[in-house]
Amino acid sequence: MGTGSQASGDVFRWFSVESGNADNPTVILIHGFPSQAYSYRKVLPVLSKNYHAIAFDWLGFGFSDKPQPRYGFDYTLSEYVSALESFVNEVATNKVSLVVQGYFSPVVVKYASKHQEKLNDLILLNPPLTAKHANLPSTLSIFSNFLLGEIFSQDPLRASDKALTSCGPYAMKEDDAMVYRRPYLTSGSSGFALNAISRAMKKELKAYVEDTKAILMDKNWKVRTTVCWGRRDRWLNYDEVEDFCKNSNHKLIELPMAGHHVQEDSGEELGGIISGLISRRIVT
């Protein structure tokens, strides 16, 4: 699926991994920007003991379809909200718990605000929450550049290795690096998608971060929400995060040895934390 650029009829293929008994409560693990479902490889075995765990690649990432912009999918954040709704409806008929990392958190919060009745728990891993978080770091914003972005987004070392290792202590092993590089090595569609997503993020992220703050602090927000924060994040500053969680009455859990990609740095520990947080009741 890594070579596919688009599917006919605007019906797109999503790459996903499932683990655990399908009769158990469902937990959906959502990677950040840029990453893959593969980032949860250490989390899935822990969760699968008690839950039905699903991790997927967003459209444009990993081994999911990568539609050509302006041909069925333009990679706007609003389209990702709608795409997530379609995916959740396809894989889960009962309530679910969502775990999302990094810059895709505002997209998931927006989805959750429209479907609170569908959720048991929401766990945010190093999400952008403050005004200081509303701009992409230079490592990512370069991909939105009109000329350089189109070139750099086709470079596997910049698009995967540097993007994943420049934001914290994560030291990528060669076998893992090849998984992340493969989509960029097998098709130019991965780079085109990265360029389009970066442009959308640069344009829309500020508004989505503001919406995230408003949604999570609204008195009508009923979903049990936890923020897990890797303190060694080089992209998102910890300033104001603790105050935000206190003022919004959301639980904050710090992981001192983890960076921006918490699931990469402290996967097994994170799996245990998620398992302990999520309600094990099945709500239909």
Side-chain angles (χ1 to χ4, degrees):
M1 295 177 67
T3 59
S5 60
Q6 68 182 94
S8 61
D10 294 344
V11 176
F12 304 118
R13 298 169 298 177
W14 295 63
F15 176 84
S16 65
V17 179
E18 297 185 62
S19 184
N21 191 327
D23 292 329
N24 288 337
T26 298
V27 183
I28 299 179
L29 305 170
I30 305 172
H31 70 77
F33 168 64
S35 189
Q36 297 180 22
Y38 184 72
S39 65
Y40 286 105
R41 63 194 176 279
K42 300 174 186 177
V43 179
L44 281 165
V46 179
L47 291 181
S48 64
K49 297 174 183 177
N50 297 303
Y51 303 101
H52 177 218
I54 301 172
F56 67 84
D57 288 340
W58 284 108
L59 293 177
F61 291 90
F63 302 98
S64 287
D65 273 341
K66 302 163 186 69
Q68 184 178 345
R70 297 184 298 279
Y71 288 89
F73 197 78
D74 289 333
Y75 299 96
T76 65
L77 300 192
S78 62
E79 285 179 304
Y80 273 114
V81 174
S82 298
L84 178 61
E85 179 180 2
S86 298
F87 182 84
V88 173
N89 289 342
E90 183 70 24
V91 301
T93 56
N94 296 325
K95 280 196 169 186
V96 300
S97 294
L98 300 181
V99 179
V100 57
Q101 184 269 327
Y103 289 103
F104 268 116
S105 298
V107 168
V108 176
V109 171
K110 178 76 80 172
Y111 160 81
S113 70
K114 300 178 180 180
H115 302 282
Q116 292 193 54
E117 77 289 346
K118 184 74 175 177
L119 303 187
N120 280 321
D121 297 85
L122 177 65
I123 299 175
L124 308 173
L125 312 177
N126 284 56
L129 292 173
T130 74
K132 294 180 180 179
H133 298 165
N135 296 309
L136 291 177
S138 58
T139 306
L140 301 182
S141 63
I142 188 64
F143 296 122
S144 66
N145 185 280
F146 179 68
L147 294 176
L148 288 178
E150 295 179 359
I151 297 172
F152 289 166
S153 62
Q154 297 292 342
D155 181 351
L157 296 183
R158 283 185 176 271
S160 60
D161 295 39
K162 186 174 182 179
L164 289 169
T165 59
S166 66
C167 55
Y170 178 48
M172 189 183 297
K173 297 179 180 179
E174 184 63 20
D175 288 347
D176 296 330
M178 288 307 300
V179 176
Y180 285 115
R181 295 171 192 162
R182 185 181 174 189
Y184 297 96
L185 292 170
T186 56
S187 173
S189 61
S190 296
F192 293 133
L194 178 60
N195 179 249
I197 297 162
S198 300
R199 291 182 181 183
M201 282 278 184
K202 187 174 182 178
K203 180 180 180 180
E204 302 177 64
L205 184 61
K206 181 178 180 180
Y208 266 72
V209 170
E210 291 174 352
D211 286 349
T212 294
K213 291 174 59 179
I215 290 167
L216 295 180
M217 298 190 76
D218 193 291
K219 63 181 181 180
N220 294 317
W221 178 252
K222 305 300 183 184
V223 179
R224 183 166 56 186
T225 303
T226 302
V227 174
C228 294
W229 198 272
R231 289 299 306 272
R232 298 175 70 183
D233 191 334
R234 296 174 188 160
W235 285 350
L236 298 180
N237 196 298
Y238 185 67
D239 291 348
E240 302 179 33
V241 172
E242 187 173 9
D243 287 340
F244 173 85
C245 292
K246 185 181 298 183
N247 294 336
S248 59
N249 200 32
H250 298 315
K251 188 178 182 67
L252 172 64
I253 298 176
E254 298 180 15
L255 291 89
M257 301 307 295
H260 183 70
H261 295 282
V262 182
Q263 67 271 39
E264 292 281 12
D265 297 316
S266 303
E268 293 181 1
E269 179 184 2
L270 178 63
I273 290 171
I274 294 171
S275 185
L277 287 171
I278 294 176
S279 170
R280 296 187 182 184
R281 66 187 183 277
I282 298 178
V283 183
T284 59

